[in-house]
Amino acid sequence: MTSKFKGTFLGITAAICYGTNPLGALSLYHEGLNTVSTVFLRYFTAVLILGTIMVAKGENFIITKSDIRKTTLLGTMFGLSSLTLYYSFNFMDSGLASTILFCYPVMVSVIMTIWFKEKITKNIFFSLVLSLTGIILLSKGGANSSVSTIGIILVLLSSLTYAIYIVLVNKAKIQLSVLKFTFFATLFSLPAFIIFSFIGGEENHLQFIFNAKVCFWGFFLGLVPTVLSLICMNTAIKLVGSTPAAIMGSLEPVTAVLIGIFIFNELFTAKLFFGILLILLSVILIVKNQNATVKKKS
């Protein structure tokens, strides 16, 4: 198996794995868990899995005070992204939510342009127009489609916090391995969920429901869209590069949409199709623009 083929396979696998988020989340909702409890269970399980992998690899758990501050901030941002995404599933179809979330590469470019004075190119501007047009089409998906303004706002907040997380990761200069960084960022996100469960009202209190289905789907969320997706994507980036890996990430919302349609009977209209298509095109355009910029600098 060539490294390119292996990288492509792992990139596709990572995207599909991450796209299964709605499958685990909605299944836990059906078991009676609220949103905060579902996200907490996902991250707690991921911490256990990542910790086990670190022990198996003989990696230590030593971390500096500086890295604690950085990973706490990053973990909180990443956790907020997951929390707002999972909340949006209560207001709109999960497949559409996962598609709008995929606007984050465009938001990263906008953040880098505004705060770090990167040049606004025609591709970036056109990508922004495409993604905004796609979101408008999704918000007007049809009389019978379950799309709401609150849902769209929540997903856009999720996309924004994830974009900020990506920018901060690039600027933080954390001297930790990917596995170790992910473990501590995930671990330090847990207190944010606990705090929110106390201040978010009774409907957001952490629930402790244990049965076979809850344990299965909790483990599924921690393993498949979290740990497996991360490991496969990081390996794919090393083998084929960040640009092809990012383009293969377009399969994330596609997977989520298919799960929503075939498992949860979510509606799919022509407007929704074109909205999704425009968002995916905007992301591919942004990724290609970044790749061209890198080539010019090298």
Side-chain angles (χ1 to χ4, degrees), residues 35-164:
T35 302
V36 179
S37 300
T38 298
V39 179
F40 181 86
L41 182 58
R42 174 193 172 188
Y43 277 65
F44 181 76
T45 305
V47 166
L48 294 179
I49 296 172
L50 290 166
T52 301
I53 295 174
M54 287 180 66
V55 171
K57 294 184 66 175
E59 192 158 353
N60 66 63
F61 290 83
I62 299 173
I63 186 172
T64 65
K65 290 182 179 180
S66 174
D67 283 336
I68 288 176
R69 290 193 295 268
K70 292 176 181 177
T71 51
T72 298
L73 173 61
L74 291 168
T76 300
M77 294 303 298
F78 192 70
L80 285 174
S81 178
S82 295
L83 190 62
T84 47
L85 174 65
Y86 278 33
Y87 261 113
S88 72
F89 294 165
N90 297 303
F91 298 96
M92 63 191 300
D93 288 348
S94 59
L96 300 182
S98 299
T99 302
I100 297 175
L101 174 69
F102 208 59
C103 288
Y104 69 83
V106 179
M107 291 188 177
V108 168
S109 293
V110 172
I111 291 172
M112 294 302 293
T113 298
I114 294 175
W115 276 279
F116 297 97
K117 309 304 179 183
E118 289 193 354
K119 185 179 179 181
I120 300 179
T121 65
K122 291 181 180 179
N123 279 352
I124 292 177
F125 179 77
F126 189 51
S127 295
L128 187 59
V129 172
L130 283 177
S131 62
L132 289 175
T133 305
I135 292 172
I136 291 172
L137 284 176
L138 292 180
S139 67
K140 301 179 182 299
N144 297 320
S145 63
S146 52
V147 182
S148 74
T149 302
I150 295 177
I152 290 177
I153 291 173
L154 285 168
V155 184
L156 290 177
L157 284 174
S158 178
S159 186
L160 177 61
T161 49
Y162 188 55
I164 294 173

Side-chain angles (χ1 to χ4, degrees), residues 187-223:
L187 176 65
F188 293 150
S189 70
L190 294 179
F193 302 138
I194 296 173
I195 293 172
F196 184 78
S197 72
F198 283 105
I199 66 176
E202 186 176 349
E203 68 275 9
N204 291 307
H205 286 176
L206 283 178
Q207 300 167 299
F208 297 95
I209 301 174
F210 294 102
N211 57 48
K213 289 185 178 180
V214 169
C215 291
F216 172 80
W217 288 115
F219 181 77
F220 175 88
L221 278 178
L223 178 64

Side-chain angles (χ1 to χ4, degrees), residues 223-265:
L223 178 64
V224 180
T226 310
V227 175
L228 282 182
S229 177
L230 173 72
I231 293 175
C232 288
M233 182 54 72
N234 287 334
T235 307
I237 290 173
K238 290 181 180 180
L239 293 174
V240 300
S242 59
T243 298
I247 293 175
M248 284 183 282
S250 299
L251 288 173
E252 293 172 13
V254 174
T255 301
V257 168
L258 292 176
I259 288 174
I261 293 172
F262 293 107
I263 296 182
F264 297 109
N265 298 316

